[in-house]
Amino acid sequence: MKEEQFRFIHYLKSKGLKLTSARKTVLTAFLRSEGHLSAEDLLAAAKKIDPGLGQATVFRTLKLLADAGLAQDACQDEGPRRYEHVYKHAHHDHLLCIGCGKLIEFCHPEIEKAQTEIFKEFGFQATGHRLELRGLCADCAGKSGKAND
Amino acid sequence: MKEEQFRFIHYLKSKGLKLTSARKTVLTAFLRSEGHLSAEDLLAAAKKIDPGLGQATVFRTLKLLADAGLAQDACQDEGPRRYEHVYKHAHHDHLLCIGCGKLIEFCHPEIEKAQTEIFKEFGFQATGHRLELRGLCADCAGKSGKAND
DNA sequence: CTTAGTGCAAAGGTTTTGCAAATTG
DNA sequence: CAATTTGCAAAACCTTTGCACTAAG
């Protein structure tokens, strides 16, 4: 069994919650997913496994996944809230091209280190962070940016 | 005249858009505001200046402000989208306590520097970034965090 | 058997859109 | 004057909630 599954089950038990087939379905669909997905995406994916699943259950389960530390808000500027794996994936930050929407994931040790310092400086106990850099990628910058619109 | 006002007017001209009294009202209300405000907050503030203003106009103008580089999505996890000044305020990042909601704004030169490196490394032309650290502040962490729940 | 979870559909909150009238350049 | 913008209200969109039924422990 995958570690994420185990962790989710353990989380449910610790909260006195039940491991239902609907939750298993949503978990499976979520773990199969790649990148950033919205609740709607997850519902669609989960319905491929169990067509009878309701969207309310997906929203409810997504909250549990976030609470269990498996899912994290990926925080897009537009449209619905999106989530991504947080448990297995090593931590990464996002670099977004505002021209073409290209999304690059990166990890920069110095930034991580500096963040730790900041938590210390303000007496905080860290639980997470999110960093998104925005700009124009080489392609889009080359195309003269925003001449017409 | 404030530089922001000038910038917004310039932006409108460059796009062939009109400087209407409604837009002036929203701009004024926005520039007067402090911290992070939602569209609803901005509507309320703008209505104090011009009670006849419609909420659609606020949403539309807020997009223009963002496009003009004056407003920026402050990206809360919950509730409505919130915006903040981006132009005059020196850049800052956010440190949020998930226990009591306390929000600290800070600025860390090394992080800024590292970000510049990343933009370079991926051949991006920077336009902005957003960093939010989350954790428990000293008060909340002291209160035994989440022993019971 | 008791309690929590489910799907549905309706409600809730936020943002967008169509339109006729008003305003700007 | 032509073209954009406005306010309104309705629609669209995303998420949550109430409820009767089902399923897990």
Side-chain angles (χ1 to χ4, degrees):
Chain A
M1 178 184 291
K2 283 189 190 171
E3 195 177 352
E4 289 100 327
Q5 292 175 335
F6 185 79
R7 181 168 165 134
F8 187 55
I9 291 167
H10 187 80
Y11 165 82
L12 291 177
K13 269 194 186 146
S14 75
K15 290 274 185 180
L17 303 175
K18 294 174 178 177
L19 178 60
T20 64
S21 63
R23 304 227 247 237
K24 278 187 241 172
T25 301
V26 175
L27 174 62
T28 302
F30 179 70
L31 293 179
R32 276 186 196 165
S33 75
E34 284 296 327
H36 310 88
L37 82 171
S38 63
E40 194 188 354
D41 297 335
L42 185 52
L43 173 61
K47 279 204 168 182
K48 282 184 190 152
I49 303 173
D50 173 5
L53 207 114
Q55 97 280 40
T57 301
V58 169
F59 278 96
R60 290 188 273 232
T61 307
L62 208 33
K63 273 198 184 125
L64 294 179
L65 290 171
D67 216 33
L70 296 182
Q72 183 182 215
D73 199 306
C75 198
Q76 296 276 163
D77 271 2
E78 309 248 326
R81 226 186 280 293
R82 304 190 104 77
Y83 298 85
E84 63 177 344
H85 301 201
V86 70
Y87 187 56
K88 200 174 78 179
H89 287 189
H91 172 72
H92 61 261
D93 295 306
H94 295 147
L95 175 57
L96 175 70
C97 173
I98 59 174
C100 61
K102 191 187 303 170
L103 182 65
I104 295 173
E105 301 188 339
F106 69 89
C107 186
H108 196 291
E110 292 207 18
I111 289 182
E112 305 297 313
K113 212 173 63 183
Q115 288 175 0
T116 306
E117 282 170 22
I118 289 162
F119 279 121
K120 246 186 243 167
E121 180 180 337
F122 290 99
F124 270 58
Q125 181 182 315
T127 61
H129 71 266
R130 174 168 51 205
L131 170 62
E132 183 181 295
L133 304 184
R134 281 178 289 188
L136 286 170
C137 69
D139 287 349
C140 293
K143 287 175 197 155
S144 82
K146 38 172 69 181
N148 53 4
D149 187 348
Chain B
M1 178 184 289
K2 284 189 189 172
E3 193 177 353
E4 289 100 326
Q5 291 175 334
F6 185 78
R7 183 171 164 130
F8 187 55
I9 291 166
H10 186 81
Y11 165 81
L12 291 177
K13 268 194 187 148
S14 76
K15 291 274 186 180
L17 303 176
K18 294 175 177 177
L19 177 61
T20 63
S21 63
R23 303 228 247 237
K24 277 187 240 172
T25 301
V26 176
L27 173 63
T28 302
F30 179 71
L31 294 180
R32 275 185 197 167
S33 74
E34 283 295 328
H36 310 88
L37 81 170
S38 63
E40 194 187 353
D41 297 334
L42 184 52
L43 174 61
K47 278 203 168 182
K48 282 184 190 151
I49 304 173
D50 172 7
L53 207 114
Q55 97 279 42
T57 302
V58 169
F59 277 96
R60 289 187 274 233
T61 308
L62 208 33
K63 274 198 183 123
L64 294 179
L65 289 171
D67 215 33
L70 296 183
Q72 182 183 214
D73 198 307
C75 199
Q76 297 275 163
D77 271 3
E78 310 248 326
R81 225 185 284 290
R82 305 191 102 78
Y83 297 85
E84 63 177 346
H85 300 203
V86 70
Y87 188 55
K88 196 175 81 177
H89 287 188
H91 173 72
H92 61 261
D93 295 307
H94 295 147
L95 175 57
L96 175 70
C97 174
I98 59 174
C100 61
K102 190 188 303 171
L103 182 65
I104 295 173
E105 300 189 340
F106 67 90
C107 188
H108 196 290
E110 292 207 19
I111 290 182
E112 305 297 314
K113 212 173 65 183
Q115 288 176 358
T116 306
E117 281 171 23
I118 289 163
F119 279 121
K120 246 186 242 167
E121 180 181 337
F122 290 98
F124 270 57
Q125 181 183 316
T127 61
H129 70 266
R130 173 168 52 204
L131 170 62
E132 182 181 295
L133 303 184
R134 281 178 290 187
L136 286 170
C137 70
D139 288 348
C140 293
K143 289 176 196 153
S144 82
K146 41 171 66 180
N148 52 4
D149 188 351

Coordinates of all heavy atoms in Angstrom, one line a residue, chain A residues 71-148:
Chain A
A71 N -3.1 17.0 0.5 CA -3.4 18.0 -0.5 C -3.1 19.4 0.0 O -3.2 19.7 1.2 CB -4.9 17.9 -0.9
Q72 N -2.8 20.3 -1.0 CA -2.5 21.6 -0.6 C -3.1 22.6 -1.6 O -3.1 22.3 -2.8 CB -1.0 21.8 -0.5 CG -0.6 23.2 -0.1 CD 0.9 23.4 -0.1 OE1 1.4 24.1 0.7 NE2 1.5 22.7 -1.1
D73 N -3.6 23.7 -1.2 CA -4.1 24.7 -2.1 C -3.0 25.2 -3.0 O -2.0 25.6 -2.5 CB -4.7 25.8 -1.2 CG -5.6 26.7 -1.9 OD1 -5.2 27.2 -2.9 OD2 -6.7 26.9 -1.4
A74 N -3.3 25.2 -4.3 CA -2.2 25.7 -5.1 C -2.5 27.2 -5.6 O -1.7 27.7 -6.3 CB -2.1 24.8 -6.4
C75 N -3.6 27.7 -5.2 CA -3.9 29.1 -5.3 C -3.6 29.8 -6.6 O -2.6 30.5 -6.8 CB -3.0 29.8 -4.2 SG -3.5 31.4 -3.8
Q76 N -4.5 29.6 -7.6 CA -4.4 30.3 -8.8 C -5.0 31.6 -8.7 O -5.9 31.8 -7.9 CB -5.2 29.5 -9.9 CG -4.6 28.1 -10.2 CD -3.5 28.2 -11.2 OE1 -2.7 27.3 -11.3 NE2 -3.4 29.3 -11.9
D77 N -4.7 32.5 -9.6 CA -5.3 33.8 -9.6 C -6.7 33.7 -10.1 O -7.6 34.4 -9.6 CB -4.5 34.8 -10.5 CG -3.4 35.5 -9.7 OD1 -3.3 35.2 -8.5 OD2 -2.7 36.3 -10.3
E78 N -7.0 32.9 -11.1 CA -8.3 32.9 -11.8 C -9.0 31.6 -11.6 O -8.3 30.6 -11.3 CB -8.1 33.1 -13.3 CG -7.2 34.3 -13.6 CD -8.0 35.4 -14.3 OE1 -9.0 35.1 -15.0 OE2 -7.7 36.6 -14.1
G79 N -10.2 31.6 -11.7 CA -11.0 30.4 -11.7 C -11.1 29.7 -10.4 O -10.8 30.3 -9.3
P80 N -11.4 28.4 -10.4 CA -11.7 27.7 -9.2 C -10.4 27.4 -8.4 O -9.3 27.5 -9.0 CB -12.3 26.4 -9.6 CG -11.8 26.2 -11.0 CD -11.7 27.6 -11.6
R81 N -10.5 27.2 -7.2 CA -9.3 26.8 -6.4 C -8.8 25.5 -6.9 O -9.5 24.6 -7.3 CB -9.8 26.6 -4.9 CG -9.0 27.2 -3.9 CD -9.5 26.8 -2.5 NE -10.7 27.5 -2.1 CZ -10.7 28.8 -1.8 NH1 -9.6 29.5 -1.9 NH2 -11.8 29.4 -1.4
R82 N -7.5 25.4 -6.9 CA -6.8 24.2 -7.4 C -6.0 23.6 -6.2 O -5.5 24.3 -5.4 CB -6.0 24.5 -8.6 CG -6.8 25.1 -9.7 CD -6.0 25.2 -11.0 NE -6.5 24.2 -11.9 CZ -7.6 24.2 -12.6 NH1 -8.4 25.3 -12.5 NH2 -7.9 23.3 -13.4
Y83 N -5.9 22.3 -6.3 CA -5.1 21.6 -5.3 C -4.0 20.7 -5.9 O -4.0 20.4 -7.1 CB -6.0 20.6 -4.5 CG -7.1 21.3 -3.8 CD1 -8.3 21.7 -4.5 CD2 -7.0 21.7 -2.5 CE1 -9.3 22.4 -3.8 CE2 -8.0 22.4 -1.8 CZ -9.1 22.7 -2.5 OH -10.1 23.4 -1.8
E84 N -3.0 20.4 -5.1 CA -2.0 19.5 -5.6 C -1.5 18.6 -4.5 O -1.8 18.9 -3.4 CB -0.8 20.4 -6.2 CG -0.1 21.2 -5.1 CD 1.1 21.9 -5.5 OE1 1.6 21.6 -6.6 OE2 1.5 22.8 -4.8
H85 N -0.8 17.5 -4.9 CA -0.2 16.7 -3.9 C 0.7 17.5 -3.0 O 1.4 18.3 -3.6 CB 0.6 15.5 -4.5 CG -0.1 14.7 -5.5 ND1 0.3 13.4 -5.8 CD2 -1.3 14.9 -6.2 CE1 -0.5 12.9 -6.7 NE2 -1.5 13.7 -6.9
V86 N 0.8 17.1 -1.8 CA 1.8 17.8 -1.0 C 2.7 16.8 -0.2 O 3.8 17.2 0.2 CB 1.2 18.8 0.0 CG1 0.5 18.1 1.1 CG2 2.2 19.7 0.6
Y87 N 2.2 15.6 -0.2 CA 2.9 14.7 0.8 C 4.1 14.0 0.1 O 5.2 14.2 0.6 CB 1.9 13.6 1.2 CG 2.4 12.7 2.3 CD1 2.9 13.3 3.5 CD2 2.4 11.4 2.1 CE1 3.4 12.5 4.5 CE2 2.9 10.5 3.1 CZ 3.4 11.1 4.3 OH 3.9 10.3 5.3
K88 N 3.9 13.4 -1.0 CA 5.0 12.7 -1.5 C 6.0 13.6 -2.3 O 7.2 13.5 -2.1 CB 4.5 11.6 -2.5 CG 5.5 10.5 -2.8 CD 4.9 9.4 -3.7 CE 4.9 9.8 -5.1 NZ 4.3 8.7 -5.9
H89 N 5.4 14.4 -3.1 CA 6.2 15.4 -3.9 C 7.1 16.2 -2.9 O 6.6 16.7 -1.9 CB 5.2 16.4 -4.6 CG 4.5 15.8 -5.7 ND1 3.8 16.6 -6.6 CD2 4.4 14.6 -6.1 CE1 3.2 15.8 -7.5 NE2 3.5 14.6 -7.2
A90 N 8.3 16.3 -3.3 CA 9.2 17.1 -2.5 C 8.7 18.5 -2.7 O 8.0 18.9 -3.6 CB 10.6 17.0 -3.1
H91 N 9.0 19.4 -1.7 CA 8.5 20.7 -1.8 C 9.0 21.4 -3.1 O 10.2 21.2 -3.5 CB 8.9 21.5 -0.6 CG 8.6 23.0 -0.8 ND1 7.3 23.4 -0.7 CD2 9.3 24.0 -1.1 CE1 7.2 24.6 -1.0 NE2 8.4 25.1 -1.3
H92 N 8.2 22.2 -3.6 CA 8.6 23.0 -4.8 C 7.8 24.3 -4.8 O 6.8 24.4 -4.2 CB 8.4 22.2 -6.1 CG 6.9 21.9 -6.3 ND1 6.4 20.7 -6.0 CD2 5.9 22.6 -6.7 CE1 5.1 20.7 -6.3 NE2 4.8 21.9 -6.7
D93 N 8.4 25.3 -5.6 CA 7.7 26.5 -5.8 C 7.3 26.6 -7.2 O 7.6 25.8 -8.0 CB 8.6 27.7 -5.3 CG 8.8 27.6 -3.8 OD1 7.9 27.5 -3.0 OD2 10.0 27.6 -3.4
H94 N 6.6 27.7 -7.5 CA 6.0 27.8 -8.9 C 6.5 29.0 -9.6 O 6.6 30.1 -9.0 CB 4.5 27.9 -8.8 CG 3.9 26.6 -8.3 ND1 2.7 26.6 -7.5 CD2 4.3 25.3 -8.4 CE1 2.4 25.3 -7.2 NE2 3.4 24.5 -7.8
L95 N 6.8 28.8 -10.9 CA 7.2 29.9 -11.7 C 6.2 29.9 -12.9 O 6.1 29.0 -13.7 CB 8.6 29.7 -12.2 CG 9.2 30.7 -13.3 CD1 9.2 32.1 -12.8 CD2 10.6 30.3 -13.6
L96 N 5.4 31.0 -13.0 CA 4.3 31.0 -14.0 C 4.6 32.1 -15.0 O 4.9 33.2 -14.7 CB 3.1 31.4 -13.2 CG 1.8 31.6 -14.0 CD1 1.3 30.3 -14.6 CD2 0.7 32.2 -13.2
C97 N 4.4 31.7 -16.3 CA 4.5 32.6 -17.4 C 3.1 33.2 -17.6 O 2.1 32.5 -17.9 CB 5.0 32.0 -18.7 SG 4.9 33.2 -20.0
I98 N 3.0 34.6 -17.4 CA 1.7 35.2 -17.6 C 1.4 35.4 -19.1 O 0.3 35.8 -19.4 CB 1.7 36.6 -16.9 CG1 2.7 37.5 -17.5 CG2 1.8 36.4 -15.4 CD1 2.6 38.9 -16.9
G99 N 2.3 35.1 -19.9 CA 2.0 35.2 -21.4 C 1.3 33.9 -21.9 O 0.2 34.0 -22.4
C100 N 1.9 32.8 -21.6 CA 1.4 31.6 -22.2 C 0.9 30.6 -21.2 O 0.4 29.5 -21.5 CB 2.4 30.9 -23.1 SG 3.9 30.4 -22.1
G101 N 1.0 30.9 -19.9 CA 0.5 30.1 -18.9 C 1.4 28.9 -18.5 O 1.0 28.1 -17.6
K102 N 2.5 28.9 -19.1 CA 3.5 27.8 -18.7 C 3.8 27.8 -17.2 O 4.0 28.9 -16.6 CB 4.8 28.1 -19.5 CG 5.8 26.9 -19.5 CD 7.1 27.4 -20.2 CE 6.8 27.8 -21.6 NZ 8.0 28.5 -22.2
L103 N 3.8 26.7 -16.6 CA 4.1 26.6 -15.2 C 5.3 25.7 -14.9 O 5.3 24.5 -15.3 CB 2.9 26.0 -14.5 CG 3.0 25.9 -13.0 CD1 3.1 27.3 -12.3 CD2 1.8 25.2 -12.4
I104 N 6.3 26.3 -14.3 CA 7.5 25.6 -14.0 C 7.6 25.4 -12.5 O 7.3 26.3 -11.8 CB 8.8 26.3 -14.5 CG1 8.7 26.4 -16.0 CG2 10.1 25.7 -14.0 CD1 9.8 27.3 -16.6
E105 N 8.0 24.2 -12.1 CA 8.1 23.9 -10.7 C 9.6 23.9 -10.4 O 10.4 23.3 -11.1 CB 7.5 22.6 -10.3 CG 6.0 22.6 -10.6 CD 5.3 21.4 -10.0 OE1 5.9 20.4 -9.7 OE2 4.0 21.5 -9.9
F106 N 10.0 24.6 -9.3 CA 11.4 24.6 -9.0 C 11.6 24.6 -7.5 O 10.6 24.7 -6.8 CB 12.1 25.9 -9.6 CG 11.6 27.2 -8.8 CD1 12.3 27.6 -7.7 CD2 10.5 27.8 -9.3 CE1 11.8 28.8 -7.1 CE2 10.0 29.0 -8.7 CZ 10.7 29.4 -7.5
C107 N 12.8 24.4 -7.1 CA 13.1 24.4 -5.7 C 14.4 25.1 -5.5 O 15.4 24.8 -6.2 CB 13.2 22.9 -5.2 SG 13.4 22.8 -3.4
H108 N 14.5 26.0 -4.6 CA 15.7 26.8 -4.3 C 16.0 26.7 -2.9 O 15.4 27.4 -2.0 CB 15.4 28.2 -4.8 CG 16.7 29.0 -5.0 ND1 17.4 29.4 -3.9 CD2 17.3 29.5 -6.1 CE1 18.5 30.1 -4.4 NE2 18.4 30.2 -5.7
P109 N 17.1 26.0 -2.5 CA 17.5 25.8 -1.1 C 17.7 27.1 -0.4 O 17.3 27.2 0.8 CB 18.8 25.0 -1.2 CG 18.8 24.4 -2.6 CD 18.0 25.4 -3.5
E110 N 18.2 28.1 -1.0 CA 18.5 29.3 -0.2 C 17.2 30.0 0.2 O 17.1 30.6 1.3 CB 19.3 30.3 -1.1 CG 20.7 29.8 -1.3 CD 21.7 30.9 -1.5 OE1 21.3 32.1 -1.2 OE2 22.8 30.7 -2.1
I111 N 16.2 29.9 -0.7 CA 14.9 30.5 -0.3 C 14.3 29.7 0.9 O 13.8 30.3 1.8 CB 14.0 30.5 -1.5 CG1 14.4 31.5 -2.5 CG2 12.5 30.8 -1.0 CD1 13.5 31.6 -3.7
E112 N 14.4 28.4 0.8 CA 13.9 27.6 1.9 C 14.6 28.0 3.2 O 14.0 28.2 4.3 CB 14.2 26.1 1.7 CG 13.6 25.6 0.3 CD 12.1 25.7 0.2 OE1 11.4 25.3 1.2 OE2 11.6 26.2 -0.8
K113 N 15.9 28.2 3.1 CA 16.7 28.5 4.3 C 16.2 29.9 4.9 O 16.0 30.1 6.1 CB 18.2 28.6 4.0 CG 19.1 28.1 5.1 CD 20.5 28.0 4.7 CE 21.1 29.3 4.2 NZ 22.5 29.2 3.7
A114 N 16.1 30.8 4.0 CA 15.7 32.2 4.4 C 14.3 32.2 5.1 O 14.1 32.9 6.0 CB 15.7 33.1 3.2
Q115 N 13.5 31.3 4.5 CA 12.1 31.2 5.1 C 12.2 30.7 6.6 O 11.5 31.2 7.4 CB 11.3 30.3 4.3 CG 10.9 31.0 3.0 CD 10.1 30.1 2.0 OE1 9.8 29.0 2.4 NE2 9.8 30.6 0.9
T116 N 13.0 29.7 6.8 CA 13.2 29.2 8.1 C 13.7 30.3 9.1 O 13.2 30.4 10.2 CB 14.3 28.1 8.1 OG1 13.9 27.1 7.1 CG2 14.4 27.4 9.4
E117 N 14.6 31.1 8.6 CA 15.0 32.3 9.4 C 13.9 33.2 9.8 O 13.8 33.7 10.9 CB 16.1 33.1 8.6 CG 17.4 32.4 8.6 CD 18.4 33.1 7.7 OE1 18.1 34.3 7.4 OE2 19.3 32.5 7.2
I118 N 13.0 33.4 8.8 CA 11.9 34.3 9.0 C 11.0 33.8 10.1 O 10.5 34.5 11.0 CB 11.2 34.6 7.7 CG1 12.1 35.5 6.9 CG2 9.9 35.4 8.0 CD1 11.7 35.5 5.4
F119 N 10.7 32.5 10.0 CA 9.8 31.9 11.0 C 10.4 32.1 12.4 O 9.7 32.4 13.3 CB 9.6 30.4 10.7 CG 8.6 30.1 9.6 CD1 8.9 29.4 8.5 CD2 7.3 30.5 9.8 CE1 8.0 29.1 7.5 CE2 6.3 30.2 8.8 CZ 6.7 29.5 7.7
K120 N 11.7 31.8 12.4 CA 12.4 32.0 13.7 C 12.3 33.4 14.2 O 12.0 33.7 15.4 CB 13.9 31.6 13.5 CG 14.3 30.3 14.3 CD 15.8 30.1 14.2 CE 16.1 28.8 13.5 NZ 17.5 28.7 13.1
E121 N 12.6 34.3 13.3 CA 12.7 35.7 13.7 C 11.4 36.2 14.3 O 11.3 37.0 15.2 CB 13.0 36.5 12.4 CG 13.0 38.0 12.7 CD 13.4 38.8 11.4 OE1 13.9 38.2 10.4 OE2 13.0 40.0 11.3
F122 N 10.2 35.7 13.8 CA 8.9 36.2 14.3 C 8.4 35.2 15.3 O 7.2 35.3 15.7 CB 8.0 36.4 13.1 CG 8.3 37.5 12.3 CD1 9.0 37.4 11.1 CD2 7.9 38.8 12.7 CE1 9.3 38.5 10.3 CE2 8.3 39.9 11.8 CZ 8.9 39.7 10.7
G123 N 9.1 34.2 15.7 CA 8.7 33.3 16.7 C 7.6 32.4 16.2 O 6.7 31.9 17.0
F124 N 7.5 32.1 15.0 CA 6.5 31.2 14.4 C 7.0 29.8 14.3 O 8.1 29.5 14.2 CB 6.1 31.7 13.0 CG 5.0 32.7 13.0 CD1 5.1 33.9 13.6 CD2 3.9 32.4 12.2 CE1 4.1 34.8 13.6 CE2 2.8 33.4 12.2 CZ 3.0 34.6 12.8
Q125 N 6.0 28.9 14.5 CA 6.2 27.5 14.2 C 5.7 27.3 12.8 O 4.5 27.4 12.5 CB 5.4 26.7 15.2 CG 5.6 25.2 15.1 CD 4.7 24.6 16.2 OE1 4.6 25.0 17.4 NE2 3.9 23.6 15.8
A126 N 6.6 26.9 11.9 CA 6.2 26.8 10.5 C 5.3 25.6 10.2 O 5.4 24.6 10.8 CB 7.5 26.6 9.6
T127 N 4.3 25.9 9.3 CA 3.5 24.8 8.9 C 3.5 24.7 7.4 O 3.1 23.7 6.8 CB 2.0 24.9 9.4 OG1 1.5 26.1 8.8 CG2 1.9 24.9 10.9
G128 N 3.8 25.8 6.7 CA 3.8 25.6 5.2 C 4.1 27.0 4.6 O 4.1 28.0 5.3
H129 N 4.3 27.0 3.3 CA 4.5 28.2 2.6 C 4.2 28.0 1.1 O 4.1 26.9 0.7 CB 5.9 28.8 2.8 CG 6.9 28.0 2.0 ND1 7.6 27.0 2.6 CD2 7.3 28.0 0.8 CE1 8.4 26.4 1.7 NE2 8.3 27.1 0.6
R130 N 4.1 29.1 0.5 CA 3.7 29.1 -0.9 C 4.4 30.2 -1.6 O 4.4 31.4 -1.2 CB 2.2 29.2 -1.1 CG 1.7 29.3 -2.4 CD 0.2 29.2 -2.4 NE -0.4 30.1 -1.4 CZ -1.6 29.9 -0.9 NH1 -2.3 28.8 -1.2 NH2 -2.1 30.7 0.0
L131 N 5.1 29.9 -2.7 CA 5.8 31.0 -3.4 C 5.5 30.9 -4.9 O 5.6 29.8 -5.5 CB 7.3 30.8 -3.2 CG 8.2 31.7 -4.1 CD1 7.9 33.2 -3.8 CD2 9.7 31.4 -3.8
E132 N 5.1 32.0 -5.4 CA 4.8 31.9 -6.9 C 5.5 33.1 -7.5 O 5.2 34.3 -7.1 CB 3.3 32.0 -7.1 CG 2.9 31.9 -8.6 CD 1.4 32.1 -8.8 OE1 0.7 31.1 -8.4 OE2 1.0 33.1 -9.4
L133 N 6.3 32.8 -8.5 CA 7.0 33.9 -9.2 C 6.2 34.0 -10.6 O 5.9 33.1 -11.2 CB 8.4 33.6 -9.5 CG 9.3 33.3 -8.3 CD1 10.7 33.0 -8.7 CD2 9.2 34.4 -7.3
R134 N 6.0 35.3 -11.0 CA 5.3 35.5 -12.2 C 6.2 36.3 -13.2 O 6.8 37.3 -12.7 CB 4.0 36.2 -12.0 CG 3.0 35.2 -11.5 CD 1.7 35.8 -11.2 NE 1.8 36.6 -10.0 CZ 0.7 37.2 -9.4 NH1 -0.5 37.1 -10.0 NH2 0.9 38.0 -8.4
G135 N 6.1 36.0 -14.4 CA 6.9 36.8 -15.4 C 6.6 36.3 -16.8 O 5.6 35.5 -17.0
L136 N 7.4 36.7 -17.7 CA 7.2 36.3 -19.1 C 8.4 35.3 -19.4 O 9.5 35.7 -19.2 CB 7.3 37.5 -20.0 CG 6.1 38.4 -20.1 CD1 6.4 39.7 -20.9 CD2 4.9 37.7 -20.7
C137 N 8.1 34.2 -20.0 CA 9.1 33.3 -20.4 C 9.8 33.8 -21.6 O 9.4 34.8 -22.2 CB 8.5 31.9 -20.6 SG 7.5 31.8 -22.1
A138 N 10.9 33.2 -21.9 CA 11.8 33.7 -23.0 C 11.0 33.8 -24.3 O 11.0 34.8 -25.0 CB 13.0 32.8 -23.2
D139 N 10.2 32.8 -24.6 CA 9.3 32.9 -25.8 C 8.4 34.1 -25.8 O 8.4 34.8 -26.8 CB 8.5 31.6 -25.9 CG 9.3 30.4 -26.3 OD1 10.5 30.6 -26.6 OD2 8.8 29.3 -26.1
C140 N 7.7 34.2 -24.8 CA 6.7 35.3 -24.7 C 7.3 36.7 -24.7 O 6.8 37.6 -25.3 CB 5.8 35.1 -23.5 SG 4.7 33.7 -23.7
A141 N 8.4 36.8 -24.0 CA 9.1 38.1 -23.9 C 9.7 38.4 -25.3 O 9.6 39.6 -25.7 CB 10.3 38.0 -22.9
G142 N 10.1 37.4 -26.0 CA 10.7 37.7 -27.3 C 9.6 38.2 -28.3 O 9.9 39.1 -29.1
K143 N 8.4 37.7 -28.1 CA 7.3 38.2 -29.0 C 6.8 39.6 -28.7 O 5.6 39.9 -28.9 CB 6.1 37.2 -28.9 CG 6.3 35.8 -29.5 CD 5.1 34.9 -29.2 CE 5.5 33.5 -29.5 NZ 4.6 32.6 -28.6
S144 N 7.6 40.4 -28.1 CA 7.3 41.8 -27.9 C 6.2 42.0 -26.9 O 5.6 43.1 -26.9 CB 6.9 42.5 -29.2 OG 5.6 42.3 -29.5
G145 N 5.9 41.0 -26.1 CA 5.0 41.2 -25.0 C 3.6 41.5 -25.4 O 2.9 40.7 -25.8
K146 N 3.2 42.8 -25.2 CA 1.8 43.1 -25.3 C 1.5 44.3 -26.3 O 1.0 45.3 -25.9 CB 1.2 43.4 -24.0 CG 2.1 44.2 -23.1 CD 1.4 44.6 -21.8 CE 1.1 43.5 -20.9 NZ 0.4 43.9 -19.7
A147 N 2.0 44.1 -27.5 CA 1.8 45.2 -28.5 C 0.4 45.5 -28.8 O -0.1 46.6 -28.5 CB 2.5 44.8 -29.8
N148 N -0.4 44.5 -29.2 CA -1.8 44.7 -29.4 C -2.5 43.9 -28.3 O -2.0 43.0 -27.7 CB -2.2 44.2 -30.8 CG -1.7 42.8 -31.0 OD1 -1.2 42.1 -30.2 ND2 -1.9 42.3 -32.2

